[in-house]
Amino acid sequence: MERKGAYRMSVILVLSSVTYALKAQDLLKNEGIYSTITRSPAVKAIKGCGYGIKIPYNQEIWAKQILLENGISILGCVIE
Amino acid sequence: MIYFDNAATGYPKSERAFEAMKTAYFESGNAGRSGHDLANEGARILFNCRKSTGELFGCEPEQVVLTKNATEALNLAIKGAFTEENNINKKGEVLISSLEHNSVLRPVYALCQNKGITKKQFKVDIYNDDKTVENFEKAISKKTSMVVCIHASNVCGRILPIKRLVEKAKKHNIIFILDASQTAGHFPVTFEELGADIICLPGHKGLYGPMGTGLLLINQKSHLYFKTIMEGGSGTRSLEKEMPLFLPERLEYGTQNNCGFAGLAAACEELVYPVELHKVFEYLVEKMRIRDDIILYGEPKGNYDKYVPVLLFNKKDAYCEDVASMLNEKGIAVRAGYHCSPLAHIALGTIKKGGVRISFGRSNTIEEVDYLLNVL
């Protein structure tokens, strides 16, 4: 079930490093999903210091699938 | 200046690489350390370099470790991968060739001094690849855990039959580290073609990137674990005392060289393999061969496809350093001495007096060779 107001929400996928974040950003861009690199408190809470990519909430499942298919581990997922 | 010292560093450098370096210098922050735009631009610069070089050598961006030179890459690889986590016998042997540079010989020697590991050598037969492969196979023992091997000699230019050596090593589950310092940029060097576990190379020779850049490339299929030999800030996992387990950050410590790697990426993007250079090299060798006052060492004998354009010679009754100095006075840059490769000079019979090395790059011409021959 889609959350109320989901179109305005974002999801941060927490990744191992900035290298993986940039690789993920490129892979998603190729599929038409635009993301931004982030070091928000949500990312820090999970792994000390880390990087994540912020994507629109409604593209979360598709984005996760793309990353997993390309061998990128997602360490966590935070809704903003 | 006529530049025949490309085995030391490729010259002239690319203008495009310089422009990329200048932009990175003024417009990027510390990569992987912060979340602001300048830091992200720095991270993007490094990532682009991993991507460009990864495409060139056939690996993913995260398998590209950025180093300051090939020597650092070789140290990280040799000392880092020689560990029990890679099913290595801690009293095992490291096998190297008879043509290795000090960037291999010295870290292997240090590894053996510190850990009680044994170093063993196999003889490269300059004129017979079958014999080289045979010597390699004979040198492998049950204790052999790692092979570190030069792709082409920096002293005489001979290319080793790496694919065949890797095939033999893989039958015994031996880790194979390739030093591609003299071949990268001259012709395609890929994991798919050669099958090595690790490839180490400088960014500033055949790739024409800036000095102070190097690469440690890791074959994804090898699933190697690396001990760290240097530690420091990595920008991630800051609360942990150990370096992150994942590559490339595991092997990268402290602030990276944004400018250098921006330049290297730009240089790689404009790279064209210098196929025509072999004609110039062939011309040089054939002209030098017929001269009575010149002695050549390990030079091609028709088999130019087994060489990168490097030639070692001496002028009869002259010291090599005197010849290089005289050539410099006439505007020709060559390198004399031992080229950081005592093993190769032993193998070529020049350990007592060294030699003069001519090494070509993409801009050298037959006219320049004619001038050299006249001066000599």
PDB file of all heavy atoms in Angstrom, chain B residues 97 99 122-126 128-136 149-152 158-169 176 178 193-194 306:
ATOM      1  N   SER B  97      60.572 -13.697 -11.848  1.00  0.00           N
ATOM      2  CA  SER B  97      61.350 -13.989 -13.054  1.00  0.00           C
ATOM      3  C   SER B  97      62.767 -13.419 -12.934  1.00  0.00           C
ATOM      4  O   SER B  97      63.061 -12.628 -12.035  1.00  0.00           O
ATOM      5  CB  SER B  97      60.656 -13.398 -14.280  1.00  0.00           C
ATOM      6  OG  SER B  97      61.041 -12.056 -14.454  1.00  0.00           O
ATOM      7  N   LEU B  99      63.983 -11.290 -14.794  1.00  0.00           N
ATOM      8  CA  LEU B  99      64.045  -9.949 -15.391  1.00  0.00           C
ATOM      9  C   LEU B  99      63.384  -8.889 -14.509  1.00  0.00           C
ATOM     10  O   LEU B  99      63.129  -7.775 -14.960  1.00  0.00           O
ATOM     11  CB  LEU B  99      63.364  -9.952 -16.768  1.00  0.00           C
ATOM     12  CG  LEU B  99      64.003 -10.804 -17.864  1.00  0.00           C
ATOM     13  CD1 LEU B  99      63.187 -10.709 -19.156  1.00  0.00           C
ATOM     14  CD2 LEU B  99      65.442 -10.382 -18.143  1.00  0.00           C
ATOM     15  N   PHE B 122      62.776 -17.934 -11.675  1.00  0.00           N
ATOM     16  CA  PHE B 122      62.841 -18.761 -12.886  1.00  0.00           C
ATOM     17  C   PHE B 122      63.481 -17.964 -14.008  1.00  0.00           C
ATOM     18  O   PHE B 122      63.354 -16.741 -14.073  1.00  0.00           O
ATOM     19  CB  PHE B 122      61.451 -19.289 -13.300  1.00  0.00           C
ATOM     20  CG  PHE B 122      60.531 -18.234 -13.848  1.00  0.00           C
ATOM     21  CD1 PHE B 122      60.404 -18.033 -15.214  1.00  0.00           C
ATOM     22  CD2 PHE B 122      59.768 -17.455 -12.994  1.00  0.00           C
ATOM     23  CE1 PHE B 122      59.550 -17.064 -15.722  1.00  0.00           C
ATOM     24  CE2 PHE B 122      58.913 -16.476 -13.495  1.00  0.00           C
ATOM     25  CZ  PHE B 122      58.799 -16.279 -14.859  1.00  0.00           C
ATOM     26  N   LYS B 123      64.187 -18.675 -14.875  1.00  0.00           N
ATOM     27  CA  LYS B 123      64.946 -18.004 -15.918  1.00  0.00           C
ATOM     28  C   LYS B 123      64.081 -17.739 -17.147  1.00  0.00           C
ATOM     29  O   LYS B 123      63.428 -18.646 -17.670  1.00  0.00           O
ATOM     30  CB  LYS B 123      66.157 -18.875 -16.302  1.00  0.00           C
ATOM     31  CG  LYS B 123      67.113 -18.160 -17.210  1.00  0.00           C
ATOM     32  CD  LYS B 123      68.246 -19.060 -17.656  1.00  0.00           C
ATOM     33  CE  LYS B 123      69.031 -18.341 -18.748  1.00  0.00           C
ATOM     34  NZ  LYS B 123      69.883 -19.237 -19.487  1.00  0.00           N
ATOM     35  N   VAL B 124      64.105 -16.484 -17.582  1.00  0.00           N
ATOM     36  CA  VAL B 124      63.422 -16.135 -18.839  1.00  0.00           C
ATOM     37  C   VAL B 124      64.402 -16.372 -19.968  1.00  0.00           C
ATOM     38  O   VAL B 124      65.528 -15.874 -19.935  1.00  0.00           O
ATOM     39  CB  VAL B 124      62.979 -14.657 -18.833  1.00  0.00           C
ATOM     40  CG1 VAL B 124      62.367 -14.266 -20.178  1.00  0.00           C
ATOM     41  CG2 VAL B 124      62.009 -14.387 -17.701  1.00  0.00           C
ATOM     42  N   ASP B 125      63.997 -17.166 -20.963  1.00  0.00           N
ATOM     43  CA  ASP B 125      64.821 -17.352 -22.155  1.00  0.00           C
ATOM     44  C   ASP B 125      64.383 -16.301 -23.171  1.00  0.00           C
ATOM     45  O   ASP B 125      63.266 -16.362 -23.691  1.00  0.00           O
ATOM     46  CB  ASP B 125      64.638 -18.769 -22.714  1.00  0.00           C
ATOM     47  CG  ASP B 125      65.659 -19.071 -23.789  1.00  0.00           C
ATOM     48  OD1 ASP B 125      65.863 -18.203 -24.674  1.00  0.00           O
ATOM     49  OD2 ASP B 125      66.260 -20.159 -23.747  1.00  0.00           O
ATOM     50  N   ILE B 126      65.263 -15.342 -23.420  1.00  0.00           N
ATOM     51  CA  ILE B 126      64.899 -14.195 -24.268  1.00  0.00           C
ATOM     52  C   ILE B 126      64.445 -14.644 -25.660  1.00  0.00           C
ATOM     53  O   ILE B 126      63.595 -14.009 -26.272  1.00  0.00           O
ATOM     54  CB  ILE B 126      66.112 -13.235 -24.402  1.00  0.00           C
ATOM     55  CG1 ILE B 126      66.550 -12.715 -23.037  1.00  0.00           C
ATOM     56  CG2 ILE B 126      65.817 -12.096 -25.377  1.00  0.00           C
ATOM     57  CD1 ILE B 126      65.771 -11.562 -22.483  1.00  0.00           C
ATOM     58  N   ASN B 128      63.310 -17.852 -26.545  1.00  0.00           N
ATOM     59  CA  ASN B 128      62.502 -19.071 -26.658  1.00  0.00           C
ATOM     60  C   ASN B 128      61.420 -19.103 -25.559  1.00  0.00           C
ATOM     61  O   ASN B 128      61.710 -19.433 -24.409  1.00  0.00           O
ATOM     62  CB  ASN B 128      63.432 -20.288 -26.539  1.00  0.00           C
ATOM     63  CG  ASN B 128      62.704 -21.583 -26.844  1.00  0.00           C
ATOM     64  OD1 ASN B 128      61.480 -21.656 -26.765  1.00  0.00           O
ATOM     65  ND2 ASN B 128      63.470 -22.618 -27.181  1.00  0.00           N
ATOM     66  N   ASP B 129      60.197 -18.777 -25.943  1.00  0.00           N
ATOM     67  CA  ASP B 129      59.098 -18.755 -24.966  1.00  0.00           C
ATOM     68  C   ASP B 129      58.813 -20.143 -24.386  1.00  0.00           C
ATOM     69  O   ASP B 129      58.471 -20.273 -23.208  1.00  0.00           O
ATOM     70  CB  ASP B 129      57.816 -18.221 -25.627  1.00  0.00           C
ATOM     71  CG  ASP B 129      57.805 -16.702 -25.683  1.00  0.00           C
ATOM     72  OD1 ASP B 129      58.694 -16.070 -25.069  1.00  0.00           O
ATOM     73  OD2 ASP B 129      56.922 -16.140 -26.364  1.00  0.00           O
ATOM     74  N   ASP B 130      58.948 -21.157 -25.231  1.00  0.00           N
ATOM     75  CA  ASP B 130      58.696 -22.529 -24.739  1.00  0.00           C
ATOM     76  C   ASP B 130      59.637 -22.854 -23.585  1.00  0.00           C
ATOM     77  O   ASP B 130      59.249 -23.472 -22.595  1.00  0.00           O
ATOM     78  CB  ASP B 130      58.891 -23.561 -25.862  1.00  0.00           C
ATOM     79  CG  ASP B 130      57.807 -23.435 -26.915  1.00  0.00           C
ATOM     80  OD1 ASP B 130      56.744 -22.844 -26.613  1.00  0.00           O
ATOM     81  OD2 ASP B 130      58.015 -23.905 -28.051  1.00  0.00           O
ATOM     82  N   LYS B 131      60.873 -22.435 -23.760  1.00  0.00           N
ATOM     83  CA  LYS B 131      61.886 -22.699 -22.726  1.00  0.00           C
ATOM     84  C   LYS B 131      61.549 -21.919 -21.447  1.00  0.00           C
ATOM     85  O   LYS B 131      61.674 -22.438 -20.339  1.00  0.00           O
ATOM     86  CB  LYS B 131      63.260 -22.282 -23.270  1.00  0.00           C
ATOM     87  CG  LYS B 131      64.417 -22.752 -22.446  1.00  0.00           C
ATOM     88  CD  LYS B 131      64.665 -24.250 -22.586  1.00  0.00           C
ATOM     89  CE  LYS B 131      65.728 -24.673 -21.564  1.00  0.00           C
ATOM     90  NZ  LYS B 131      65.639 -26.096 -21.249  1.00  0.00           N
ATOM     91  N   THR B 132      61.080 -20.679 -21.621  1.00  0.00           N
ATOM     92  CA  THR B 132      60.686 -19.861 -20.455  1.00  0.00           C
ATOM     93  C   THR B 132      59.555 -20.554 -19.687  1.00  0.00           C
ATOM     94  O   THR B 132      59.601 -20.667 -18.455  1.00  0.00           O
ATOM     95  CB  THR B 132      60.211 -18.457 -20.905  1.00  0.00           C
ATOM     96  OG1 THR B 132      61.302 -17.809 -21.552  1.00  0.00           O
ATOM     97  CG2 THR B 132      59.745 -17.616 -19.739  1.00  0.00           C
ATOM     98  N   VAL B 133      58.568 -21.036 -20.425  1.00  0.00           N
ATOM     99  CA  VAL B 133      57.425 -21.711 -19.776  1.00  0.00           C
ATOM    100  C   VAL B 133      57.905 -22.983 -19.071  1.00  0.00           C
ATOM    101  O   VAL B 133      57.483 -23.284 -17.946  1.00  0.00           O
ATOM    102  CB  VAL B 133      56.313 -22.022 -20.814  1.00  0.00           C
ATOM    103  CG1 VAL B 133      55.181 -22.808 -20.167  1.00  0.00           C
ATOM    104  CG2 VAL B 133      55.766 -20.721 -21.415  1.00  0.00           C
ATOM    105  N   GLU B 134      58.813 -23.681 -19.731  1.00  0.00           N
ATOM    106  CA  GLU B 134      59.373 -24.912 -19.141  1.00  0.00           C
ATOM    107  C   GLU B 134      60.126 -24.575 -17.843  1.00  0.00           C
ATOM    108  O   GLU B 134      59.947 -25.261 -16.820  1.00  0.00           O
ATOM    109  CB  GLU B 134      60.330 -25.535 -20.170  1.00  0.00           C
ATOM    110  CG  GLU B 134      60.691 -26.981 -19.888  1.00  0.00           C
ATOM    111  CD  GLU B 134      61.716 -27.459 -20.914  1.00  0.00           C
ATOM    112  OE1 GLU B 134      61.514 -27.230 -22.130  1.00  0.00           O
ATOM    113  OE2 GLU B 134      62.733 -28.036 -20.489  1.00  0.00           O
ATOM    114  N   ASN B 135      60.941 -23.546 -17.888  1.00  0.00           N
ATOM    115  CA  ASN B 135      61.691 -23.128 -16.685  1.00  0.00           C
ATOM    116  C   ASN B 135      60.743 -22.738 -15.554  1.00  0.00           C
ATOM    117  O   ASN B 135      60.990 -23.033 -14.386  1.00  0.00           O
ATOM    118  CB  ASN B 135      62.602 -21.933 -17.008  1.00  0.00           C
ATOM    119  CG  ASN B 135      63.726 -22.299 -17.952  1.00  0.00           C
ATOM    120  OD1 ASN B 135      64.044 -23.479 -18.124  1.00  0.00           O
ATOM    121  ND2 ASN B 135      64.318 -21.296 -18.595  1.00  0.00           N
ATOM    122  N   PHE B 136      59.664 -22.058 -15.926  1.00  0.00           N
ATOM    123  CA  PHE B 136      58.659 -21.625 -14.951  1.00  0.00           C
ATOM    124  C   PHE B 136      58.017 -22.838 -14.277  1.00  0.00           C
ATOM    125  O   PHE B 136      57.906 -22.909 -13.046  1.00  0.00           O
ATOM    126  CB  PHE B 136      57.606 -20.784 -15.678  1.00  0.00           C
ATOM    127  CG  PHE B 136      56.490 -20.298 -14.802  1.00  0.00           C
ATOM    128  CD1 PHE B 136      56.675 -19.242 -13.921  1.00  0.00           C
ATOM    129  CD2 PHE B 136      55.224 -20.873 -14.865  1.00  0.00           C
ATOM    130  CE1 PHE B 136      55.642 -18.781 -13.119  1.00  0.00           C
ATOM    131  CE2 PHE B 136      54.189 -20.422 -14.069  1.00  0.00           C
ATOM    132  CZ  PHE B 136      54.395 -19.369 -13.196  1.00  0.00           C
ATOM    133  N   CYS B 149      55.441 -11.245 -11.610  1.00  0.00           N
ATOM    134  CA  CYS B 149      56.146 -11.334 -12.884  1.00  0.00           C
ATOM    135  C   CYS B 149      55.976 -10.062 -13.719  1.00  0.00           C
ATOM    136  O   CYS B 149      54.879  -9.528 -13.835  1.00  0.00           O
ATOM    137  CB  CYS B 149      55.596 -12.542 -13.639  1.00  0.00           C
ATOM    138  SG  CYS B 149      56.580 -12.985 -15.038  1.00  0.00           S
ATOM    139  N   ILE B 150      57.061  -9.641 -14.302  1.00  0.00           N
ATOM    140  CA  ILE B 150      57.052  -8.471 -15.174  1.00  0.00           C
ATOM    141  C   ILE B 150      56.421  -8.863 -16.513  1.00  0.00           C
ATOM    142  O   ILE B 150      56.600  -9.996 -16.981  1.00  0.00           O
ATOM    143  CB  ILE B 150      58.505  -7.964 -15.353  1.00  0.00           C
ATOM    144  CG1 ILE B 150      58.550  -6.516 -15.770  1.00  0.00           C
ATOM    145  CG2 ILE B 150      59.312  -8.837 -16.310  1.00  0.00           C
ATOM    146  CD1 ILE B 150      59.931  -5.868 -15.560  1.00  0.00           C
ATOM    147  N   HIS B 151      55.653  -7.952 -17.114  1.00  0.00           N
ATOM    148  CA  HIS B 151      55.016  -8.267 -18.399  1.00  0.00           C
ATOM    149  C   HIS B 151      56.015  -8.100 -19.547  1.00  0.00           C
ATOM    150  O   HIS B 151      56.099  -8.927 -20.435  1.00  0.00           O
ATOM    151  CB  HIS B 151      53.786  -7.369 -18.605  1.00  0.00           C
ATOM    152  CG  HIS B 151      52.847  -7.868 -19.642  1.00  0.00           C
ATOM    153  ND1 HIS B 151      51.650  -7.260 -19.912  1.00  0.00           N
ATOM    154  CD2 HIS B 151      52.906  -8.916 -20.493  1.00  0.00           C
ATOM    155  CE1 HIS B 151      51.035  -7.913 -20.871  1.00  0.00           C
ATOM    156  NE2 HIS B 151      51.782  -8.912 -21.244  1.00  0.00           N
ATOM    157  N   ALA B 152      56.757  -6.989 -19.505  1.00  0.00           N
ATOM    158  CA  ALA B 152      57.837  -6.788 -20.482  1.00  0.00           C
ATOM    159  C   ALA B 152      59.005  -6.145 -19.753  1.00  0.00           C
ATOM    160  O   ALA B 152      58.802  -5.282 -18.889  1.00  0.00           O
ATOM    161  CB  ALA B 152      57.379  -5.898 -21.629  1.00  0.00           C
ATOM    162  N   ARG B 158      61.668  -7.177 -23.846  1.00  0.00           N
ATOM    163  CA  ARG B 158      61.094  -8.485 -24.173  1.00  0.00           C
ATOM    164  C   ARG B 158      59.787  -8.709 -23.409  1.00  0.00           C
ATOM    165  O   ARG B 158      59.728  -8.529 -22.191  1.00  0.00           O
ATOM    166  CB  ARG B 158      62.099  -9.590 -23.822  1.00  0.00           C
ATOM    167  CG  ARG B 158      61.622 -11.007 -24.159  1.00  0.00           C
ATOM    168  CD  ARG B 158      61.364 -11.155 -25.650  1.00  0.00           C
ATOM    169  NE  ARG B 158      61.463 -12.520 -26.120  1.00  0.00           N
ATOM    170  CZ  ARG B 158      60.449 -13.407 -26.158  1.00  0.00           C
ATOM    171  NH1 ARG B 158      59.251 -13.053 -25.726  1.00  0.00           N
ATOM    172  NH2 ARG B 158      60.653 -14.629 -26.625  1.00  0.00           N
ATOM    173  N   ILE B 159      58.734  -9.102 -24.145  1.00  0.00           N
ATOM    174  CA  ILE B 159      57.439  -9.427 -23.524  1.00  0.00           C
ATOM    175  C   ILE B 159      57.452 -10.896 -23.115  1.00  0.00           C
ATOM    176  O   ILE B 159      57.848 -11.757 -23.905  1.00  0.00           O
ATOM    177  CB  ILE B 159      56.277  -9.163 -24.511  1.00  0.00           C
ATOM    178  CG1 ILE B 159      56.244  -7.686 -24.930  1.00  0.00           C
ATOM    179  CG2 ILE B 159      54.943  -9.574 -23.907  1.00  0.00           C
ATOM    180  CD1 ILE B 159      55.352  -7.391 -26.123  1.00  0.00           C
ATOM    181  N   LEU B 160      57.015 -11.165 -21.909  1.00  0.00           N
ATOM    182  CA  LEU B 160      56.978 -12.553 -21.429  1.00  0.00           C
ATOM    183  C   LEU B 160      55.656 -13.221 -21.821  1.00  0.00           C
ATOM    184  O   LEU B 160      54.636 -12.534 -21.963  1.00  0.00           O
ATOM    185  CB  LEU B 160      57.145 -12.587 -19.901  1.00  0.00           C
ATOM    186  CG  LEU B 160      58.592 -12.612 -19.400  1.00  0.00           C
ATOM    187  CD1 LEU B 160      59.319 -11.328 -19.742  1.00  0.00           C
ATOM    188  CD2 LEU B 160      58.612 -12.810 -17.889  1.00  0.00           C
ATOM    189  N   PRO B 161      55.666 -14.541 -21.980  1.00  0.00           N
ATOM    190  CA  PRO B 161      54.430 -15.263 -22.359  1.00  0.00           C
ATOM    191  C   PRO B 161      53.487 -15.413 -21.163  1.00  0.00           C
ATOM    192  O   PRO B 161      53.258 -16.515 -20.652  1.00  0.00           O
ATOM    193  CB  PRO B 161      54.963 -16.617 -22.839  1.00  0.00           C
ATOM    194  CG  PRO B 161      56.234 -16.817 -22.081  1.00  0.00           C
ATOM    195  CD  PRO B 161      56.825 -15.450 -21.858  1.00  0.00           C
ATOM    196  N   ILE B 162      52.940 -14.297 -20.718  1.00  0.00           N
ATOM    197  CA  ILE B 162      52.194 -14.252 -19.455  1.00  0.00           C
ATOM    198  C   ILE B 162      50.974 -15.179 -19.448  1.00  0.00           C
ATOM    199  O   ILE B 162      50.731 -15.885 -18.470  1.00  0.00           O
ATOM    200  CB  ILE B 162      51.775 -12.803 -19.133  1.00  0.00           C
ATOM    201  CG1 ILE B 162      53.015 -11.946 -18.869  1.00  0.00           C
ATOM    202  CG2 ILE B 162      50.821 -12.752 -17.944  1.00  0.00           C
ATOM    203  CD1 ILE B 162      53.885 -12.383 -17.704  1.00  0.00           C
ATOM    204  N   LYS B 163      50.239 -15.189 -20.545  1.00  0.00           N
ATOM    205  CA  LYS B 163      49.025 -16.002 -20.559  1.00  0.00           C
ATOM    206  C   LYS B 163      49.364 -17.477 -20.270  1.00  0.00           C
ATOM    207  O   LYS B 163      48.684 -18.140 -19.482  1.00  0.00           O
ATOM    208  CB  LYS B 163      48.342 -15.873 -21.926  1.00  0.00           C
ATOM    209  CG  LYS B 163      46.971 -16.461 -21.973  1.00  0.00           C
ATOM    210  CD  LYS B 163      46.305 -16.232 -23.293  1.00  0.00           C
ATOM    211  CE  LYS B 163      44.938 -16.871 -23.306  1.00  0.00           C
ATOM    212  NZ  LYS B 163      44.245 -16.691 -24.568  1.00  0.00           N
ATOM    213  N   ARG B 164      50.437 -17.940 -20.872  1.00  0.00           N
ATOM    214  CA  ARG B 164      50.843 -19.340 -20.668  1.00  0.00           C
ATOM    215  C   ARG B 164      51.335 -19.552 -19.233  1.00  0.00           C
ATOM    216  O   ARG B 164      51.074 -20.593 -18.623  1.00  0.00           O
ATOM    217  CB  ARG B 164      51.935 -19.719 -21.676  1.00  0.00           C
ATOM    218  CG  ARG B 164      51.413 -19.725 -23.117  1.00  0.00           C
ATOM    219  CD  ARG B 164      52.544 -19.948 -24.108  1.00  0.00           C
ATOM    220  NE  ARG B 164      53.154 -21.268 -23.959  1.00  0.00           N
ATOM    221  CZ  ARG B 164      54.263 -21.652 -24.609  1.00  0.00           C
ATOM    222  NH1 ARG B 164      54.871 -20.804 -25.439  1.00  0.00           N
ATOM    223  NH2 ARG B 164      54.753 -22.866 -24.435  1.00  0.00           N
ATOM    224  N   LEU B 165      52.020 -18.575 -18.685  1.00  0.00           N
ATOM    225  CA  LEU B 165      52.512 -18.710 -17.305  1.00  0.00           C
ATOM    226  C   LEU B 165      51.339 -18.719 -16.319  1.00  0.00           C
ATOM    227  O   LEU B 165      51.325 -19.492 -15.362  1.00  0.00           O
ATOM    228  CB  LEU B 165      53.479 -17.569 -16.964  1.00  0.00           C
ATOM    229  CG  LEU B 165      54.740 -17.432 -17.827  1.00  0.00           C
ATOM    230  CD1 LEU B 165      55.649 -16.336 -17.265  1.00  0.00           C
ATOM    231  CD2 LEU B 165      55.512 -18.730 -17.941  1.00  0.00           C
ATOM    232  N   VAL B 166      50.363 -17.857 -16.582  1.00  0.00           N
ATOM    233  CA  VAL B 166      49.191 -17.802 -15.691  1.00  0.00           C
ATOM    234  C   VAL B 166      48.458 -19.149 -15.729  1.00  0.00           C
ATOM    235  O   VAL B 166      48.050 -19.680 -14.686  1.00  0.00           O
ATOM    236  CB  VAL B 166      48.235 -16.645 -16.092  1.00  0.00           C
ATOM    237  CG1 VAL B 166      46.919 -16.730 -15.317  1.00  0.00           C
ATOM    238  CG2 VAL B 166      48.884 -15.291 -15.840  1.00  0.00           C
ATOM    239  N   GLU B 167      48.320 -19.702 -16.924  1.00  0.00           N
ATOM    240  CA  GLU B 167      47.624 -21.002 -17.040  1.00  0.00           C
ATOM    241  C   GLU B 167      48.318 -22.071 -16.190  1.00  0.00           C
ATOM    242  O   GLU B 167      47.660 -22.857 -15.503  1.00  0.00           O
ATOM    243  CB  GLU B 167      47.584 -21.436 -18.506  1.00  0.00           C
ATOM    244  CG  GLU B 167      46.497 -20.726 -19.300  1.00  0.00           C
ATOM    245  CD  GLU B 167      46.628 -20.913 -20.806  1.00  0.00           C
ATOM    246  OE1 GLU B 167      47.500 -21.701 -21.252  1.00  0.00           O
ATOM    247  OE2 GLU B 167      45.865 -20.255 -21.524  1.00  0.00           O
ATOM    248  N   LYS B 168      49.638 -22.079 -16.242  1.00  0.00           N
ATOM    249  CA  LYS B 168      50.401 -23.058 -15.433  1.00  0.00           C
ATOM    250  C   LYS B 168      50.201 -22.777 -13.941  1.00  0.00           C
ATOM    251  O   LYS B 168      49.982 -23.689 -13.153  1.00  0.00           O
ATOM    252  CB  LYS B 168      51.899 -22.980 -15.760  1.00  0.00           C
ATOM    253  CG  LYS B 168      52.252 -23.291 -17.198  1.00  0.00           C
ATOM    254  CD  LYS B 168      52.123 -24.764 -17.500  1.00  0.00           C
ATOM    255  CE  LYS B 168      52.457 -25.041 -18.959  1.00  0.00           C
ATOM    256  NZ  LYS B 168      52.028 -26.382 -19.381  1.00  0.00           N
ATOM    257  N   ALA B 169      50.280 -21.493 -13.560  1.00  0.00           N
ATOM    258  CA  ALA B 169      50.142 -21.132 -12.146  1.00  0.00           C
ATOM    259  C   ALA B 169      48.763 -21.507 -11.615  1.00  0.00           C
ATOM    260  O   ALA B 169      48.620 -21.996 -10.496  1.00  0.00           O
ATOM    261  CB  ALA B 169      50.397 -19.635 -11.965  1.00  0.00           C
ATOM    262  N   PHE B 176      48.734 -14.928  -8.978  1.00  0.00           N
ATOM    263  CA  PHE B 176      49.606 -14.375 -10.023  1.00  0.00           C
ATOM    264  C   PHE B 176      49.465 -12.848 -10.054  1.00  0.00           C
ATOM    265  O   PHE B 176      48.404 -12.318 -10.366  1.00  0.00           O
ATOM    266  CB  PHE B 176      49.241 -14.960 -11.388  1.00  0.00           C
ATOM    267  CG  PHE B 176      50.348 -14.837 -12.398  1.00  0.00           C
ATOM    268  CD1 PHE B 176      51.077 -15.950 -12.796  1.00  0.00           C
ATOM    269  CD2 PHE B 176      50.677 -13.608 -12.940  1.00  0.00           C
ATOM    270  CE1 PHE B 176      52.115 -15.853 -13.712  1.00  0.00           C
ATOM    271  CE2 PHE B 176      51.713 -13.495 -13.859  1.00  0.00           C
ATOM    272  CZ  PHE B 176      52.435 -14.613 -14.249  1.00  0.00           C
ATOM    273  N   LEU B 178      50.836  -9.424 -11.813  1.00  0.00           N
ATOM    274  CA  LEU B 178      51.509  -8.991 -13.043  1.00  0.00           C
ATOM    275  C   LEU B 178      51.957  -7.534 -12.922  1.00  0.00           C
ATOM    276  O   LEU B 178      51.162  -6.662 -12.568  1.00  0.00           O
ATOM    277  CB  LEU B 178      50.538  -9.133 -14.227  1.00  0.00           C
ATOM    278  CG  LEU B 178      51.074  -8.715 -15.587  1.00  0.00           C
ATOM    279  CD1 LEU B 178      52.187  -9.647 -16.053  1.00  0.00           C
ATOM    280  CD2 LEU B 178      49.949  -8.696 -16.621  1.00  0.00           C
ATOM    281  N   GLU B 193      42.051 -11.489 -21.134  1.00  0.00           N
ATOM    282  CA  GLU B 193      43.055 -12.070 -22.008  1.00  0.00           C
ATOM    283  C   GLU B 193      44.124 -12.825 -21.220  1.00  0.00           C
ATOM    284  O   GLU B 193      44.548 -13.910 -21.607  1.00  0.00           O
ATOM    285  CB  GLU B 193      43.688 -10.946 -22.850  1.00  0.00           C
ATOM    286  CG  GLU B 193      44.912 -11.331 -23.659  1.00  0.00           C
ATOM    287  CD  GLU B 193      44.626 -12.367 -24.742  1.00  0.00           C
ATOM    288  OE1 GLU B 193      43.458 -12.527 -25.128  1.00  0.00           O
ATOM    289  OE2 GLU B 193      45.600 -13.025 -25.186  1.00  0.00           O
ATOM    290  N   LEU B 194      44.574 -12.252 -20.109  1.00  0.00           N
ATOM    291  CA  LEU B 194      45.745 -12.808 -19.424  1.00  0.00           C
ATOM    292  C   LEU B 194      45.387 -13.682 -18.225  1.00  0.00           C
ATOM    293  O   LEU B 194      46.143 -14.591 -17.884  1.00  0.00           O
ATOM    294  CB  LEU B 194      46.671 -11.673 -18.970  1.00  0.00           C
ATOM    295  CG  LEU B 194      47.226 -10.813 -20.105  1.00  0.00           C
ATOM    296  CD1 LEU B 194      47.984  -9.614 -19.546  1.00  0.00           C
ATOM    297  CD2 LEU B 194      48.128 -11.626 -21.022  1.00  0.00           C
ATOM    298  N   LYS B 306      57.147  -9.609 -30.112  1.00  0.00           N
ATOM    299  CA  LYS B 306      57.400 -10.029 -28.727  1.00  0.00           C
ATOM    300  C   LYS B 306      58.168  -8.965 -27.936  1.00  0.00           C
ATOM    301  O   LYS B 306      58.766  -9.250 -26.898  1.00  0.00           O
ATOM    302  CB  LYS B 306      58.153 -11.353 -28.715  1.00  0.00           C
ATOM    303  CG  LYS B 306      57.314 -12.511 -29.277  1.00  0.00           C
ATOM    304  CD  LYS B 306      57.976 -13.832 -29.077  1.00  0.00           C
ATOM    305  CE  LYS B 306      57.274 -14.944 -29.802  1.00  0.00           C
ATOM    306  NZ  LYS B 306      56.011 -15.345 -29.281  1.00  0.00           N
TER     307      LYS B 306
END
